[in-house]
Amino acid sequence: MAELYIRVAEDENEEPMEIPSEDDGTVLLSTVAAQFPGACGLRYRNPVSQCMRGVRLVEGILHAPENDWGSLVYVVNYPKDNKRKMDEMDAASAVKMKRSIEKTSDLIILGLPWKTSEQDLKDYFATFGEVIMVQVKRDVKTGNSKGFGFVRFTEYETQSKVISQRHMIDGRWCDCKLPNSKAGPDEPMRSRKIFVGRCTEDITTDELRQFFMQYGEVTDVFIPKPFRAFAFVTFADDQVASALCGEDLIIKGVSVHISNAEPKHNNSRQMMDHI
C-alpha cells in the first residue's frame, strides 16, 4: 500500500506540512507532535457547514473523517494553557526583537567649547557606552569649531540615557538631543533662523548674540523697533536652529520660547502667540 500523507498546519492561513499516515490510514498523534511539539489533536473546516470539526482521537491514534483524509488542511490543536504560554513567549520575543532592531541615530551636541576635539568627545561619551562615531563641525575655511557636533552610539539604551541628561564637557554644560526630522528631497531647506518669543525690553542684541553663541555660530540678531516682545536669531547652521525649536530658555532671568521662524504670511499670528 502506497504511503499516504495528510496536510497539517498550525493555522489555516499557513503553509501546510505533509505528515505520513500508517498502513491502515490512521495517523499517530506522536507523528504530528514530532513536527508540532505540544500538539494534542487535529481539527478541520467542514466544506459543507464551514464549521470547524475535531478529528477523532483514540489512544493516541487519529482516525480519518469518514475514512478519508482527502485534500483538506488539518489544523493542529494545542492545550489551552500551552497555547497561552506559547503566545506569551511569542509576545516576549516580539518585544525583544523590537528592542534589538531599534536603531540609534546621530545625536546633535549643542554648546561645545571651541577647544573641544573629536577625541575629547569620544573619551567623554565612551563612559556611557560604545561610540560608533563622533564629529565636531568646523568652518571649512578656518577649521575652527562651530560650537556643536554629533555622536552616535551602538546601543539604543545608551542613546536614551545620554539624551536624558545634560553633560559637562571641558567645563561647559552641553545638551545632547535628537535633531528634528530632516526635510525630504521635495521639501524646502530648513531655516537657520529661530523666533525668540516673550523677550523683555531690556534684552539687547549683543546679549542675545552672546547667549546663543553657546549653541553654535550666530550670524545675525534682529530685535524689531518699536519693541514687540520678540526677536529673531540666525545661526550659521540650520541643524542648530532646528534642534533649539520648542525649547524654553532662561535669558537674564526671563523664560523665552524658541520656535521656527515661519514664512512671512504666518509671522503676524506667530508674533501674537508669543507676546
Side-chain angles (χ1 to χ4, degrees):
M1 181 178 177
E3 192 171 30
L4 175 68
Y5 286 84
I6 69 169
R7 301 196 298 166
V8 179
E10 282 196 335
D11 186 271
E12 284 187 282
N13 298 319
E14 291 186 1
E15 184 177 356
M17 173 185 290
E18 292 187 331
I19 301 291
S21 66
E22 300 303 302
D23 291 340
D24 61 358
T26 60
V27 174
L28 299 179
L29 180 59
S30 59
T31 302
V32 177
Q35 303 301 325
F36 301 93
C40 65
L42 294 176
R43 66 185 187 276
Y44 66 99
R45 188 172 297 281
N46 183 282
V48 178
S49 68
Q50 290 300 305
C51 294
M52 297 301 291
R53 284 188 178 181
V55 174
R56 185 182 300 279
L57 174 66
V58 180
E59 296 181 352
I61 299 174
L62 292 157
H63 295 265
E66 301 177 359
N67 298 316
D68 183 14
W69 292 105
S71 59
L72 299 173
V73 173
Y74 295 86
V75 180
V76 178
N77 289 333
Y78 291 101
K80 287 187 177 180
D81 288 344
N82 187 51
K83 181 66 164 61
R84 188 180 298 113
K85 289 178 182 178
M86 291 179 66
D87 289 343
E88 289 173 355
M89 290 174 62
D90 289 343
S93 298
V95 171
K96 288 181 180 178
M97 182 173 292
K98 182 180 178 181
R99 286 177 179 172
S100 67
I101 62 176
E102 281 181 314
K103 296 181 179 179
T104 57
S105 305
D106 291 350
L107 304 180
I108 187 169
I109 312 161
L110 298 172
L112 284 178
W114 309 118
K115 65 178 182 179
T116 302
S117 67
E118 290 181 349
Q119 187 60 51
D120 293 332
L121 281 184
K122 187 171 185 179
D123 291 343
Y124 173 79
F125 285 110
T127 61
F128 293 90
E130 184 178 353
V131 176
I132 297 177
M133 177 278 299
V134 292
Q135 180 186 31
V136 173
K137 296 296 287 185
R138 298 183 180 278
D139 185 273
V140 177
K141 295 181 180 179
T142 66
N144 295 330
S145 169
K146 290 186 176 182
F148 72 98
F150 296 91
V151 62
R152 187 168 190 162
F153 296 94
T154 303
E155 300 293 333
Y156 187 82
E157 290 75 11
T158 305
Q159 171 177 298
S160 300
K161 182 178 180 181
V162 168
I163 292 175
S164 68
Q165 61 189 79
R166 300 194 77 197
H167 303 274
M168 178 63 75
I169 301 175
D170 286 342
R172 174 184 282 185
W173 284 109
C174 301
D175 292 303
C176 197
K177 59 176 67 180
L178 282 167
N180 288 359
S181 57
K182 296 180 179 179
D186 298 327
E187 296 175 354
M189 182 179 294
R190 292 173 301 181
S191 174
R192 294 181 293 114
K193 183 184 293 186
I194 60 173
F195 180 91
V196 186
R198 302 200 296 254
C199 291
T200 55
E201 197 163 359
D202 62 336
I203 295 179
T204 67
T205 56
D206 287 340
E207 287 170 336
L208 286 177
R209 183 183 298 275
Q210 288 298 318
F211 177 84
F212 284 104
M213 278 177 58
Q214 66 180 301
Y215 299 105
E217 183 183 349
V218 175
T219 60
D220 184 63
V221 177
F222 174 69
I223 299 178
K225 293 182 180 180
F227 179 73
R228 299 184 63 185
F230 65 86
F232 292 101
V233 176
T234 306
F235 291 94
D237 195 290
D238 63 350
Q239 289 176 311
V240 175
S242 177
L244 287 174
C245 288
E247 296 287 336
D248 288 302
L249 305 175
I250 304 298
I251 303 178
K252 294 184 68 176
V254 176
S255 175
V256 299
H257 183 74
I258 311 302
S259 60
N260 287 307
E262 298 177 0
K264 290 182 178 180
H265 63 276
N266 288 333
N267 274 355
S268 58
R269 179 178 178 180
Q270 184 181 30
M271 292 170 187
M272 291 301 295
D273 289 342
H274 291 82
I275 292 178

